[in-house]
Amino acid sequence: MQLHPFHLVEYSPWPLLNSFGILCMPVGLVYYIRGGSMTLLLLGLVAVAIISFLWWRDVTRESTLQGLHSSYVVKGLKVGVFLFIVSEVCFFFAFFWAYFHSSLAPSVEIGSTWPPVGIATLETFQVPLLNTSVLLLSGVSITWAHHSIEEGDHKNAMQGLGLTLALGFYFVFLQYGEYMETSFSIADSVYGSTFFIATGFHGLHVIVGATFLTVCFMRLILMHFDKKHHVGFLAAAWYWHFVDVVWLFLYVSIYWWGSFPDSLCKALIL
Amino acid sequence: MAASLWRTSSCILRRSLTISSVRCASGPPSKAVDQHKGKFPSDDCQIPDSLGHSVGVERYELLAKEAGNDDPFQMKPIKRAKGTFDEPTIVTSPNAKRMIGCICEEDSLTINWMYVHKGEPKRCECGYWFKLADAPVQEYN
């Protein structure tokens, strides 16, 4: 038995390989958008999916099957996940900064008004409101799953997590429908740019969060969690709540406040 | 080329022959362990608690805490004993040496780090003595 509580990790090819896979995705996406083939994008996606699966499998083996995650390791993992989410907050902060920079004092080139002249915004209280309630509901159902795990109630945990997953994928489906509906593109003024960058990256984060939850769902089926030790689930839940909160800010500032008809109205609200 | 091909193929052949002959000679294979036996949830089998689920270091730590040892990895600072040559502060380790740090005075701003070796009491520059003793690895079952 080792006489220290730490997990001295072994060499793993996955961080480096996944970096290359992830690099393929934005490059492939830009290439595809600029009229090239989809091959590089698909290659990146498939590579990242396979490598992530293998990486998750290894971590699962180390923690659940080899018991290498002592309480000290768990503490480190939690701090790590927290700091990662803080970095994600900074990431989205930048897009909100760009959005408010352009919308609070709209420049003359876009008609000195927000939304810019000629932009028909999406209906605030239709699908976006449904999206809001879908995500809020998924926040409730993941808490249901969490409490069930802590109570040792496998059946309810499965139901809660299953519902969360379904709501997550439903959100992605609704957002896809919204994207099909928009009358503006990412190239249509700073409105289109900020709108699609912010909501697009949020959608990407929902997909990643839903993937993380799917992994947790599989591990729940395999009985990998116990009542006290379920860090993977905890990390997925924190991440899911973060994505949820980002959506609330997006909804209130971009979909709602950003679609008020004239800037005088906004000034009164502010 | 021919030589290296021959070397490679003969090596592969020899290894597989050795392995299969050893396997054949050592009797029938042991039965496969069903990893998931008793682990499927049912009305009387639900999500386990940590002691019913953990293995390895994680389990060692839990069992130690259960047995009343709240510092199984000796991560916490220890109180200095009298610290004279006859009654040194005892530090334990299963290894031949261990790194220790002496907080010489209560209001010290630094820690004096040093190694203590088995069978060789050590005096910190502040005057306190330390000694390394055996620490049998505690097994919890």
Side-chain angles (χ1 to χ4, degrees), chain B residues 66-106:
Chain B
E66 199 87 337
N69 178 5
D70 66 341
D71 187 22
F73 302 109
Q74 299 197 346
M75 301 292 285
K76 293 181 177 170
I78 54 170
K79 280 235 167 188
R80 197 168 46 215
K82 209 167 174 186
T84 60
F85 182 77
D86 295 325
E87 292 177 54
T89 304
I90 305 288
V91 185
T92 59
S93 171
N95 304 321
K97 65 176 181 181
R98 182 172 180 182
M99 181 178 263
I100 61 165
C102 176
I103 304 170
C104 304
E105 290 162 38
E106 271 180 31

Side-chain angles (χ1 to χ4, degrees), chain A residues 2-3 8 10 38 44 59 61 63 68 78 129 181 195 223 233:
Chain A
Q2 67 182 44
L3 277 148
L8 306 180
E10 285 163 39
M38 227 181 169
V59 175
R61 284 177 177 172
S63 58
L68 288 164
K78 284 182 182 171
L129 183 62
E181 291 249 316
F195 178 88
M223 297 290 267
F233 176 84

Side-chain angles (χ1 to χ4, degrees), chain B:
Chain B
M1 187 65 195
S4 76
L5 264 180
W6 164 247
R7 242 195 336 266
T8 315
S9 49
S10 66
C11 189
I12 291 172
L13 267 177
R14 196 171 338 129
R15 197 173 55 185
S16 21
L17 280 176
T18 317
I19 289 176
S20 38
S21 55
V22 166
R23 281 194 183 146
C24 285
S26 55
S30 54
K31 273 186 188 156
V33 178
D34 182 5
Q35 301 282 357
H36 296 291
K37 195 183 175 189
K39 284 189 180 174
F40 284 107
S42 61
D43 285 338
D44 42 78
C45 176
Q46 287 285 337
I47 295 177
D49 58 12
S50 294
L51 266 182
H53 191 253
S54 57
V55 289
V57 190
E58 188 192 352
R59 185 173 190 78
Y60 174 81
E61 189 185 14
L62 287 174
L63 288 170
K65 285 188 175 159
E66 199 87 337
N69 178 5
D70 66 341
D71 187 22
F73 302 109
Q74 299 197 346
M75 301 292 285
K76 293 181 177 170
I78 54 170
K79 280 235 167 188
R80 197 168 46 215
K82 209 167 174 186
T84 60
F85 182 77
D86 295 325
E87 292 177 54
T89 304
I90 305 288
V91 185
T92 59
S93 171
N95 304 321
K97 65 176 181 181
R98 182 172 180 182
M99 181 178 263
I100 61 165
C102 176
I103 304 170
C104 304
E105 290 162 38
E106 271 180 31
D107 52 354
S108 293
L109 297 176
T110 54
I111 299 175
N112 273 337
W113 297 100
M114 66 201 118
Y115 275 115
V116 267
H117 296 261
K118 285 253 167 81
E120 196 182 317
K122 178 129 184 174
R123 180 179 176 273
C124 177
E125 62 182 22
C126 68
Y128 287 115
W129 284 86
F130 297 91
K131 195 179 167 188
L132 195 62
D134 281 324
V137 177
Q138 186 77 44
E139 291 289 346
Y140 297 101
N141 291 308

Side-chain angles (χ1 to χ4, degrees), chain A residues 187-257:
Chain A
D188 284 325
S189 87
V190 73
Y191 185 91
S193 309
T194 50
F195 178 88
F196 281 111
I197 280 285
T199 59
F201 266 119
H202 175 265
L204 200 63
H205 280 72
V206 173
I207 292 169
V208 170
T211 309
F212 201 171
L213 286 175
T214 309
V215 170
C216 287
F217 192 69
M218 296 301 164
R219 296 187 65 195
L220 192 62
I221 294 173
L222 291 170
M223 297 290 267
H224 279 188
F225 299 129
D226 66 49
K227 288 180 189 172
K228 286 233 178 76
H229 191 161
H230 39 258
V231 184
F233 176 84
L234 218 56
W238 289 354
Y239 192 77
W240 193 250
H241 284 307
F242 157 73
V243 169
D244 199 348
V245 170
V246 170
W247 172 259
L248 293 182
F249 280 101
L250 284 176
Y251 179 70
V252 171
S253 48
I254 295 183
Y255 285 90
W256 194 359
W257 176 84

